[in-house]
Amino acid sequence: MVVALLLLAAAVVALFGRMPPDHEPTPSGSVIETTHQYLTVPGVDPQTLSGFLFRPATRRADGTTPTIVLIHGGGWLKGATAEYVRPAAQALAERGFVVWSLNYRRVGDGGGWPTTFTDLAAGVDHLVRLQESVPEIDLGRVTVVGHSAGGQLAAWTAGRATLPDGAPGAKPAIRPHAAVSLAGVLDMRLSLTKNDHVLRVMGGTPEQFPDRYLLVDPLERMDPRVPVVAITGTDDTVVPPGEAAEYVEALRRKGGSTALIEIPQTGHGEVVDVRNSWWPMIASAIATVAEHGPRAVPVGTGA
């Protein structure tokens, strides 16, 4: 019923252009954007290890604001950056959320195993430092949202608390209260059959490096305590919708809170495109999860 209500509310937004009162967009121009470097590595362009912080100019009455970590995709390869999700970050900030949109090293610019993952972990955990100067950041209500390869990183971030000592990203300073995957790579083994992107970021196959896949493949690294909503387009030919369905079913079997939202006649990039006619629905779903966390997502029945 919770999923149905969430979908119904989002559908109403898409059809009638209205939003729940607590998610009304702020006027254009009332979002403050700043850039922050979260990690310093000799010889690496500071922009690569920086993030863009978007926040409403007007703070909420209680002084804290639910915070969204937005992770771009691009196949973990050099090329795509947080610039392509900037419109989405701006739109979510206009709805009243703090948005921390991260860059990180990718294959071809010093990334790959394990650097891409340790960079991303450091970027997420940097919210603790950012809160010192931006006190409205609510560290108890952090939602991680990622597109495509960023969806894999978002789902992995949701499971970081289960990592063994010494693993990349272990002992997180930030434990999200929820995560949202937008056309995310949620089965890295299946994605190996589509292109060589997983092979390149992981440095080899599951047969060559089984321990690596156990640590970062979303199907292997789940924390049932963190709700995950998987949003996918029915026409996605890059990351098949079946990956999201498979992941949601697996997390549900573990007793996790999870939901699957399939957007009709929508492709891979469209789920994060603010010009898409379905974007108000997608943004409303993200906003509901960011605002209410576990209360917005149904609990699984367990194995």
Side-chain angles (χ1 to χ4, degrees), residues 19-292:
M19 301 174 190
D22 55 347
H23 301 147
E24 289 287 352
T26 55
S28 178
S30 60
V31 170
I32 300 169
E33 179 187 344
T34 51
T35 303
H36 305 265
Q37 186 173 355
Y38 63 81
L39 198 60
T40 300
V41 177
V44 177
D45 182 354
Q47 191 79 354
T48 301
L49 297 173
S50 296
F52 305 103
L53 190 71
F54 301 81
R55 65 189 194 276
T58 303
R59 292 173 59 178
R60 297 191 181 195
D62 64 2
T64 61
T65 305
T67 300
I68 294 170
V69 177
L70 184 59
I71 309 171
H72 74 82
W76 309 277
L77 306 179
K78 180 181 179 180
T81 70
E83 284 300 320
Y84 89 80
V85 295
R86 177 181 292 275
Q90 178 79 24
L92 292 168
E94 287 176 356
R95 283 177 172 255
F97 300 96
V98 174
V99 181
W100 174 226
S101 183
L102 288 170
N103 282 313
Y104 51 91
R105 281 176 288 180
R106 294 135 295 144
V107 175
D109 70 354
W113 179 269
T115 308
T116 293
F117 302 95
T118 54
D119 280 0
L120 195 281
V124 174
D125 289 348
H126 192 68
L127 279 173
V128 175
R129 293 287 305 277
L130 287 175
Q131 194 203 37
E132 296 173 4
S133 57
V134 186
E136 62 263 37
I137 291 173
D138 189 344
L139 296 179
R141 286 192 290 174
V142 174
T143 299
V144 185
V145 180
H147 174 245
S148 193
Q152 178 272 322
L153 292 169
W156 172 71
T157 300
R160 279 178 58 201
T162 70
L163 288 166
D165 290 351
K171 296 184 177 180
I174 297 293
R175 180 178 164 190
H177 83 158
V180 178
S181 164
L182 300 174
V185 177
L186 299 176
D187 182 345
M188 298 181 82
R189 288 172 172 81
L190 177 58
S191 285
L192 279 167
T193 67
K194 304 297 180 183
N195 52 54
D196 68 348
H197 297 175
V198 170
L199 189 71
R200 294 176 67 181
V201 74
M202 298 298 286
T205 66
E207 291 71 31
Q208 292 173 299
F209 301 108
D211 290 346
R212 295 181 182 181
Y213 284 82
L214 286 173
L215 292 175
V216 300
D217 189 336
L219 276 179
E220 303 284 356
R221 187 52 51 187
M222 293 179 177
D223 185 347
R225 297 168 295 181
V226 181
V228 179
V229 173
I231 301 177
T232 182
T234 60
D235 295 350
D236 192 337
T237 59
V238 178
V239 180
E243 283 199 33
E246 177 188 23
Y247 177 86
V248 165
E249 181 57 33
L251 183 54
R252 185 173 291 128
R253 287 197 302 268
K254 288 181 176 289
S257 298
T258 183
L260 172 66
I261 301 176
E262 292 186 315
I263 310 297
Q265 299 178 333
T266 297
H268 187 67
E270 293 172 295
V271 293
V272 77
D273 187 347
V274 299
R275 299 166 299 180
N276 179 19
S277 61
W278 287 102
W279 170 254
M281 173 181 176
I282 295 166
S284 182
I286 294 171
T288 300
V289 173
E291 189 76 41
H292 302 293

